[in-house]
Amino acid sequence: MKCEMLIPYHEGQHVSYLNEHAHVLATEYEEQGTKLVLECKQSDYQKFAQYVLQS
């Protein structure tokens, strides 16, 4: 499923995980953290639901 996530910089391991296990379409570095536009599995979407901005 396609979604947009904002992951705080101190949670960088999640960005690494998603880069390996999801299809990252775009990456932006914002003041609050790393913003990813990606396509991921439903299980990963649920795992990282707290970071979802919109889907």
Side-chain angles (χ1 to χ4, degrees):
M1 74 183 314
K2 187 173 179 182
C3 64
E4 204 171 290
M5 296 185 185
L6 181 63
I7 300 176
Y9 290 120
H10 68 275
E11 299 285 2
Q13 72 274 15
H14 298 326
V15 175
S16 298
Y17 174 90
L18 290 166
N19 276 310
E20 289 181 34
H21 297 93
H23 182 68
V24 177
L25 304 170
T27 304
E28 294 178 29
Y29 300 99
E30 304 202 341
E31 194 175 314
Q32 304 91 343
T34 305
K35 184 175 173 182
L36 301 174
V37 177
L38 59 123
E39 293 176 352
C40 64
K41 295 180 286 190
Q42 181 70 31
S43 58
D44 286 337
Y45 179 86
Q46 291 171 341
K47 181 176 179 179
F48 299 108
Q50 70 196 63
Y51 304 114
V52 174
L53 297 174
Q54 62 186 39
S55 55

